[in-house]
Amino acid sequence: MNAPTNAIESVLVENRVFPPSDATQKAARVSGMAAYEALCAEADKDYEGYWARLARENVVWTKPFTQVLDQSNAPFFKWFADGELNASANCLDKHIGTPVENKTAIIFEADGGEVTKVTYKELLARVSQFANALKARGVQKGDRVLIYMPMTIEGVVAMQACARIGATHSVVFGGFSAKAVQERIVDVGASAVVTANYQMRGGKELPLKAIVDDALALGGCDAVKTVLVYERTPTACAMVAGRDITFTEALAGQSTECPAVPVNAEHPLFILYTSGSTGKPKGVQHSTGGYMLWARQTVNWTFDMKDSDVFWCTADIGWITGHTYVAYGPLSAGATQIVFEGVPTFPNAGRFWQMIERHGCTVFYTAPTAIRSLIKAADSDEKVHPKNWNLSSLRILGSVGEPINPEAWMWYYKHIGGERCPIVDTFWQTENGGHMITPLPGATPLVPGSCTLPLPGITAAIVDESGNDMPHGAGGILVVKKPWPSMIRNIWGDPERFKKSYFPEELKGYYLAGDGAVRSEDRGYFRITGRIDDVLNVSGHRMGTMEIESALVSKTDLVAEAAVVGRPDDLTGEAICAFVVLKRPVPTGEEAKALANELRNWVAKEIGPIAKPKDIRFGENLPKTRSGKIMRRLLRSIAKGEAITQDTSTLENPAILEQLAKTN
Ligand code: AMP
């Protein structure tokens, strides 16, 4: 990269600009801002023509589409609706007979450091064989398969195999609890579950199959006819005769050839649950055609993927990032990618840097929380500082999942990217399918902490509460004005909630992202200011406050009432703070600590360890208006340790504020 145009030493100043180097710009697919603007102009002039061109160039269609965007049943938009394709064929089959077939598709590094590689040809054979095993167990086109797997080649194989036969997968992150798994099995109506006996994380063997057993025992899962169990470790796990089958048994005798089933462009490729502002997680339903277009296109644009690249996205397949930028996008682009089973701090906090050196990683994509925790580790232990490893293979860095603070950005830029590598700060959501607002490495001048500009064709804007455009410099609500191909199609089983959550009437039919944002006055760059709903972002993962509250109050022997808010946290971006009213006197000292721990473990059991509140404060009551509404803004101030300066005149019980501020 060139030196910043207005380099200022202090990392607190955010007006530094880092344009791409001439070499990066020249070699890039979107080379310079003029090229970016030309694409934007093309989309602007003929919106449907633009998307149709990209869809023809990027996707292999078994039946070409003649329609582009169907808005007749808005907001249930359809894209390329008379076209047919198969997502797995778009990732695997299309490379057969090309030089890519013998290229390494996945470099898998296990928690313990063992490395396994598969070529595209081998991956196709494995996916086909597993697809045949699914069929042999009765899974058909249109069925839903719940996947609860560790980060492994087999996890990707399971997703691709579902896609191959037209089954819709729903992946659940391996850190979610039995209850969360059960709720998702029931909601999605899964007929099969794919899991592993155990997963290895940070040197520990953690059960997965036992959690599935517990989930199925919770009831309502009668539709599940088969559970396929990958033997990740040699340790045995309980198996239910007739229902459960190991991968070894299921794959035995199955052919390594399985034709990819063409599906309609609108066929649901997957349903992925995410937290919303009510208690129940939302099953975000994605399409096949529009999704595959954007997965492929964004890999090529945002990461400017080249044949020689070794790409590494550290996200788990249980999140949207692991869907688009592990299971589908890189494979559709014929890239070599690293899949990592473990955690960044095992056996020490140098693991990521060691792996970049070991595998010659060129494009590295991770979350700000990981970066912040590794900065902390490097600051306190020289031995895990990135300077100990040769990171010169890197050419592009990426950030995803939460805002990256300028301090972390600068460290990433300097210590990982050697002041050479552009950082693409990619803003997008589960509902978006792929990147929305992000720099392009060979075009966009970077500003630390800003996700810069929308990708060409993405009509992101900032509006007020009536949907009117806000001027640059003024904060507002982030929306997307026009439908785009990889957008959410529905909330599984709840079209009314889909309409209400994402297309509220007062916003002129725009897609509501759920975030606040502001554009810079000089460049019009977007900066995300955080969620505007009751959703927290903890370590880049979305957690609904209501979901955690329902978990807390479901401990009926102890909890009378609970309210959950977020507070800023140096490491995880936001931390979960719970205010709890017990069915007994307010505890103090050791008793309070013990009860707080009991509640944390309860939440971990109900949702998963990621939802454990960091702070739990007990009180006799919660601050409520006379009509009984909890005043969360006051709780947010208390959680932050701020003095309450806001109007409390509508409060029924003002004295409670003092009590809550005191307790911990
Ligand atoms: P998820 O759907 O779980 O991926 O979470 C999406 C949410 O994460 C968004 O609504 C934002 O609040 C946040 N987010 C994702 N990427 C970024 C980013 N690059 N900058 C700021 N916030 C982000």
Side-chain angles (χ1 to χ4, degrees):
M1 299 207 85
N2 293 335
T5 47
N6 51 347
I8 298 167
E9 280 304 309
S10 164
V11 289
L12 295 171
V13 179
E14 292 188 28
N15 58 356
R16 289 154 297 187
V17 181
F18 298 79
S21 71
D22 292 343
T24 306
Q25 179 167 333
K26 259 197 205 116
R29 274 195 184 75
V30 183
S31 175
M33 285 308 277
Y36 164 79
E37 277 149 19
L39 284 163
C40 295
E42 183 190 342
D44 206 31
K45 197 164 153 228
D46 175 10
Y47 195 65
E48 290 194 30
Y50 165 80
W51 288 113
R53 174 178 75 77
L54 295 184
R56 289 193 183 103
E57 286 173 7
N58 283 284
V59 179
V60 180
W61 299 91
T62 46
K63 179 174 170 240
F65 58 89
T66 60
Q67 302 159 9
V68 184
L69 170 61
D70 176 355
Q71 311 202 53
S72 57
N73 191 25
F76 300 93
F77 302 104
K78 289 183 183 167
W79 283 89
F80 320 117
D82 60 344
E84 287 182 7
L85 75 160
N86 179 281
S88 173
N90 266 276
C91 294
L92 302 172
D93 307 52
K94 78 165 184 208
H95 302 305
I96 303 306
T98 78
V100 177
E101 70 175 7
N102 292 316
K103 188 177 169 181
T104 300
I106 297 178
I107 303 170
F108 172 66
E109 183 164 321
D111 189 58
E114 309 80 11
V115 172
T116 319
K117 296 182 183 179
V118 282
T119 64
Y120 272 89
K121 214 175 180 173
E122 289 161 349
L123 188 61
L124 172 60
R126 282 170 73 162
V127 167
S128 301
Q129 198 179 24
F130 192 69
N132 284 327
L134 285 174
K135 285 201 286 191
R137 303 290 290 178
V139 179
Q140 296 176 355
K141 179 175 171 179
D143 288 350
R144 272 85 57 210
V145 176
L146 188 118
I147 299 177
Y148 188 59
M149 285 284 276
M151 273 299 279
T152 45
I153 296 174
E154 285 70 16
V156 176
V157 165
M159 295 166 79
Q160 284 278 338
C162 288
R164 197 158 189 85
I165 60 174
T168 298
H169 59 69
S170 187
V171 186
V172 178
F173 173 59
F176 276 111
S177 68
K179 175 111 185 296
V181 172
Q182 181 247 6
E183 280 168 4
R184 287 155 175 75
I185 288 175
V186 173
D187 194 77
V188 87
S191 62
V193 176
V194 182
T195 188
N197 59 348
Y198 292 89
Q199 62 176 332
M200 294 301 301
R201 278 176 83 80
K204 290 195 201 101
E205 192 180 42
L206 305 169
L208 280 181
K209 170 63 167 51
I211 295 174
V212 169
D213 288 341
D214 289 348
L216 295 175
L218 286 171
C221 303
D222 297 343
V224 175
K225 298 287 175 262
T226 185
V227 179
L228 293 111
V229 185
Y230 165 51
E231 307 104 305
R232 168 63 188 91
T233 70
T235 316
C237 67
M239 298 289 278
V240 174
R243 187 196 70 187
D244 303 348
I245 185 168
T246 62
F247 266 38
T248 309
E249 285 167 327
L251 292 170
Q254 295 297 345
S255 160
T256 53
E257 282 178 25
C258 172
V261 176
V263 297
N264 182 270
E266 283 297 317
H267 180 75
L269 177 60
F270 63 88
I271 296 157
L272 181 60
Y273 285 83
T274 188
S275 293
S277 46
T278 66
K280 197 166 167 262
K282 302 185 271 201
V284 173
Q285 180 185 324
H286 275 286
S287 70
T288 302
Y291 175 80
M292 283 310 298
L293 157 61
W294 208 224
R296 167 80 196 280
Q297 184 69 76
T298 49
V299 160
N300 279 349
W301 276 348
T302 313
F303 301 122
D304 195 30
M305 201 73 82
K306 311 267 195 246
D307 282 347
S308 53
D309 272 324
V310 176
F311 175 71
W312 183 13
C313 165
T314 66
D316 192 281
I317 50 168
W319 310 113
I320 188 67
T321 307
H323 280 59
T324 311
Y325 300 108
V326 177
Y328 291 105
L331 297 177
S332 73
T336 294
Q337 68 172 322
I338 298 168
V339 170
F340 175 44
E341 179 180 37
V343 295
T345 47
F346 177 79
N348 60 51
R351 182 73 181 263
F352 274 3
W353 323 135
Q354 181 204 34
M355 282 182 62
I356 289 171
E357 179 186 286
R358 183 179 192 191
H359 302 298
C361 172
T362 58
V363 181
F364 180 63
Y365 189 37
T366 197
T369 290
I371 298 166
R372 286 192 293 264
S373 74
L374 298 177
I375 294 174
K376 208 169 151 202
D379 282 350
S380 60
D381 181 1
E382 282 266 298
K383 290 200 291 297
V384 297
H385 195 283
K387 70 183 176 200
N388 296 299
W389 288 276
N390 179 356
L391 306 179
S392 60
S393 58
L394 288 169
R395 63 179 198 92
I396 294 174
L397 301 176
S399 171
V400 61
E402 52 184 314
I404 178 163
N405 48 313
E407 293 81 356
W409 195 101
M410 286 307 300
W411 188 91
Y412 196 29
Y413 181 69
K414 195 166 162 201
H415 295 286
I416 309 305
E419 300 182 41
R420 295 172 287 110
C421 306
I423 298 178
V424 287
D425 174 2
T426 60
F427 168 83
W428 62 298
Q429 314 167 301
T430 305
E431 294 86 345
N432 304 152
H435 300 152
M436 298 295 279
I437 310 179
T438 176
L440 294 173
T444 322
L446 307 171
V447 171
S450 166
C451 52
T452 72
L453 295 168
L455 285 173
I458 301 298
T459 52
I462 298 178
V463 298
D464 66 15
E465 280 165 3
S466 311
N468 303 311
D469 285 312
M470 297 295 284
H472 290 188
I477 302 167
L478 181 64
V479 295
V480 185
K481 291 189 169 177
K482 291 187 195 172
W484 69 101
S486 66
M487 70 194 299
I488 176 175
R489 294 301 197 267
N490 204 345
I491 292 178
W492 183 255
D494 201 345
E496 274 312 305
R497 189 175 177 199
F498 168 77
K499 277 202 270 187
K500 262 216 216 112
S501 311
Y502 299 114
F503 299 92
E505 270 167 27
E506 60 278 15
L507 287 185
K508 303 183 176 174
Y510 299 158
Y511 165 81
L512 172 68
D515 284 289
V518 60
R519 298 187 73 163
S520 66
E521 285 180 76
D522 51 353
R523 295 170 182 270
Y525 277 9
F526 286 73
R527 190 166 58 78
I528 309 299
T529 51
R531 298 286 305 187
I532 52 169
D533 50 12
D534 291 323
V535 171
L536 307 181
N537 191 321
V538 183
S539 304
H541 302 315
R542 250 155 84 168
M543 297 301 325
T545 54
M546 305 255 193
E547 212 176 323
I548 307 168
E549 284 165 12
S550 336
L552 284 166
V553 296
S554 72
K555 182 131 185 65
T556 47
D557 57 327
L558 200 59
V559 179
E561 236 185 327
V564 168
V565 297
R567 66 159 171 79
D569 184 273
D570 283 350
L571 208 59
T572 57
E574 269 188 298
I576 301 168
C577 188
F579 293 85
V580 177
V581 182
L582 294 176
K583 290 181 174 168
R584 57 167 88 172
V586 176
T588 53
E590 289 306 311
E591 191 197 359
K593 264 192 210 151
L595 285 170
N597 268 340
E598 190 179 338
L599 290 179
R600 275 191 198 100
N601 293 335
W602 173 263
V603 173
K605 197 174 128 287
E606 288 292 290
I607 305 175
I610 45 167
K612 274 187 186 184
K614 191 159 185 179
D615 307 337
I616 295 192
R617 289 168 184 257
F618 297 107
E620 270 162 26
N621 212 329
L622 297 171
K624 288 184 189 157
T625 58
R626 284 183 192 97
S627 58
K629 199 168 172 300
I630 298 170
M631 294 186 75
R632 286 164 192 280
R633 61 184 169 84
L634 299 178
L635 291 176
R636 276 193 279 271
S637 297
I638 296 175
K640 278 193 222 162
E642 286 173 359
I644 308 251
T645 51
Q646 305 143 46
D647 177 22
T648 55
S649 57
T650 53
L651 210 57
E652 162 104 65
N653 49 354
I656 196 65
L657 296 178
E658 216 173 299
Q659 185 186 58
L660 290 171
K662 270 193 214 140
T663 60
N664 255 315

